[in-house]
């Protein structure tokens, strides 16, 4: 199997590494060619243009887009469309809105080009652990490309979710739940810190304790333990928490469907509030985002650390910021 990967940000680079480690050939393109040269040392073929990437692939050509959601995805599809032919496959692996997938699928289908939407979760740990992948689109197209998803994922870590948009819809709800889980941990640890026992409680050891068989044990708690180990009171982190769009879409979907999603909605609104306040619970959430996804954290309103974002840029303090998780 041989595929093209467009976008070598925090996710795309490590996904390429994992594919190479599983004997899948990868042709890469990134607007900053230095990143392509970097991964070329590990076995990828670096293309200087999208045209070169397409020409380097056998038919049917398989091209994975790992870019920030929105216009940049459409712009790349516009460039690719005249270069592709019948039965070629475009896989959109970013955090796109599922209705955008349906639109793109229809437009490409007119040209005989296939389109799959793949919601990917795993953050900066995906290279080592694998990427949980949720796929939507035509089943025959999924079957043809299944070895790619299998290579990226841990055991039992990928699933065909249904027709076009289903993959990104499931990923959208996943991210809404993620928001709520992090907010619950944040509020719980703020209560511990504010309690009469707070001065004597070791939050790192409590996070570790709760992971030993308790009903709230999780990977997020393991990461929180690491955060407290690095910075006991999270003093180096400002409780300024971005949102990447998926929870907004989840809440809107809840309204449209008449489903009460109050906890997810609250967690989203708390992120808005975090941009005016600096509570300990917000510091916990900011720290967790940094731990699992390498998302930027701020020590002041104007300073951002760990600045490599999903496609190589941090778009700080903007409501349309998109980081793959």
């Amino acid at each position: 199997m041989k595929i093209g990967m467009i976008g070598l940000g925090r996710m795309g680079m490590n996904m390429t590494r994992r594919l190479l480690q599983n004997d899948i050939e990868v042709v890469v393109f990134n607007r900053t060619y230095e990143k392509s040269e970097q991964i070329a040392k590990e076995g990828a073929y670096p293309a200087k243009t999208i045209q070169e990437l397409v020409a380097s692939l056998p038919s049917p050509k398989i091209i994975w887009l790992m870019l920030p959601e929105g216009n940049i995805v459409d712009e790349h599809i516009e460039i690719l469309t005249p270069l592709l032919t019948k039965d070629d496959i475009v896989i959109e692996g970013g955090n796109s809105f599922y209705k955008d997938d349906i639109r793109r699928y229809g437009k490409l289908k007119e040209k005989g080009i296939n389109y799959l939407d793949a919601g990917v979760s795993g953050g900066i740990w995906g290279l080592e652990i694998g990427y949980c992948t949720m796929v939507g689109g035509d089943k025959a197209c999924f079957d043809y490309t299944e070895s790619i998803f299998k290579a990226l994922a841990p055991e039992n870590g990928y699933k065909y979710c249904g027709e076009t948009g289903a993959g990104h819809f499931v990923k959208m709800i996943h991210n809404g739940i993620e928001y709520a889980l992090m907010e619950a941990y944040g509020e719980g640890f703020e209560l511990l810190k504010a309690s009469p026992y707070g001065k004597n409680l070791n939050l790192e050891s409590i996070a570790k304790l709760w992971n030993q068989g308790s009903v709230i044990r999780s990977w997020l708690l393991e990461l929180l333990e690491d955060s407290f180990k690095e910075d006991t009171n999270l003093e180096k982190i400002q409780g300024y928490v971005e949102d990447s769009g998926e929870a907004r879409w989840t809440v809107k979907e809840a309204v449209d469907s008449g489903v009460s999603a109050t906890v997810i909605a609250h967690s989203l609104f708390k992120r808005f509030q975090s941009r005016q306040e600096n509570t300990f619970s917000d510091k916990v959430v900011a720290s967790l985002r940094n731990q699992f996804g390498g998302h930027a954290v701020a020590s002041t309103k104007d300073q951002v650390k760990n600045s490599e974002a999903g496609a190589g840029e941090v778009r700080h303090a903007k409501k349309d910021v998109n980081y793959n998780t």
Side-chain angles (χ1 to χ4, degrees), residues 10-11 122-125 219 223 286-297 304-310 313-314 323-325:
R10 187 181 57 249
M11 291 280 282
I124 58 177
W125 296 87
W219 181 49
L223 296 177
S287 176
L288 278 172
R289 292 183 82 241
N290 179 255
Q291 284 285 344
F292 72 72
H295 300 301
V297 294
V304 176
K305 295 181 179 179
N306 298 328
S307 60
E308 185 185 8
E313 291 186 18
V314 169
Y323 299 132
N324 294 316
T325 58

Side-chain angles (χ1 to χ4, degrees), residues 64-320:
W64 189 300
L65 300 178
M66 207 64 202
L67 301 164
E69 64 86 15
N71 290 338
I72 191 169
V73 176
D74 290 312
E75 289 167 4
H76 279 74
I77 289 176
E78 287 294 323
I79 295 170
L80 285 167
T81 300
L83 303 175
L84 301 177
T85 57
K86 187 175 182 295
D87 296 329
D88 289 344
I89 301 166
V90 174
I91 303 174
E92 200 324 73
N95 280 330
S96 281
F97 185 44
Y98 75 98
K99 290 184 179 179
D100 287 336
D101 293 317
I102 296 170
R103 171 178 55 79
R104 292 165 185 156
Y105 169 86
K107 193 171 181 180
L108 288 172
K109 202 67 175 176
E110 292 175 359
K111 308 286 185 181
I113 301 168
N114 296 298
Y115 179 94
L116 292 174
D117 53 285
V120 182
S121 182
I124 58 177
W125 296 87
L127 174 60
E128 177 184 351
I129 298 171
Y131 297 90
C132 179
T133 309
M134 299 141 264
V135 188
D138 292 341
K139 183 62 163 57
C141 188
F142 167 79
D143 290 341
Y144 183 78
T145 56
E146 185 173 4
S147 61
I148 296 171
F149 303 115
K150 187 174 182 178
L152 285 171
E155 187 175 359
N156 299 318
Y158 70 95
K159 183 175 180 60
Y160 173 71
C161 296
E163 61 190 34
T164 301
H168 278 144
F169 188 91
V170 173
K171 177 58 164 47
M172 176 183 75
I173 303 304
H174 162 284
N175 280 26
I177 294 169
E178 173 191 299
Y179 274 49
L181 288 172
M182 289 195 289
E183 179 60 29
Y185 284 130
E187 292 177 10
F189 277 92
E190 182 166 5
L191 281 167
L192 288 174
K193 190 173 176 60
S195 75
Y197 310 101
K199 291 183 178 179
N200 297 318
L201 289 176
N202 184 311
L203 300 185
E204 176 193 339
S205 67
I206 291 173
K208 183 174 183 178
L209 169 68
W210 283 347
N211 259 327
Q212 313 311 310
S214 88
V215 296
I216 62 168
R217 64 188 182 275
S218 73
W219 181 49
L220 285 173
L221 263 183
E222 293 177 12
L223 296 177
L224 192 53
E225 180 186 345
D226 291 340
S227 290
F228 288 135
K229 187 179 298 183
E230 295 168 7
D231 182 3
T232 303
N233 292 306
L234 304 184
E235 293 174 346
K236 299 176 183 177
I237 294 177
Q238 180 184 320
Y240 183 101
V241 189
E242 275 293 357
D243 68 285
S244 52
E246 297 91 336
R248 295 183 185 220
W249 301 335
T250 301
V251 172
K252 289 178 182 177
E253 193 68 30
V255 172
D256 292 343
S257 302
V259 172
S260 177
T262 54
V263 176
I264 293 173
H266 169 71
S267 67
L268 172 64
F269 298 150
K270 274 297 297 290
R271 292 199 178 191
F272 300 161
Q273 182 180 320
S274 78
R275 295 158 205 176
Q276 285 80 46
E277 300 180 6
N278 190 32
T279 65
F280 190 76
S281 63
D282 291 334
K283 290 182 180 226
V284 168
V285 174
S287 176
L288 278 172
R289 292 183 82 241
N290 179 255
Q291 284 285 344
F292 72 72
H295 300 301
V297 294
S299 57
T300 71
K301 287 283 186 182
D302 301 315
Q303 181 180 2
V304 176
K305 295 181 179 179
N306 298 328
S307 60
E308 185 185 8
E313 291 186 18
V314 169
R315 291 177 288 159
H316 186 51
K318 300 290 186 181
K319 71 175 183 179
D320 64 340

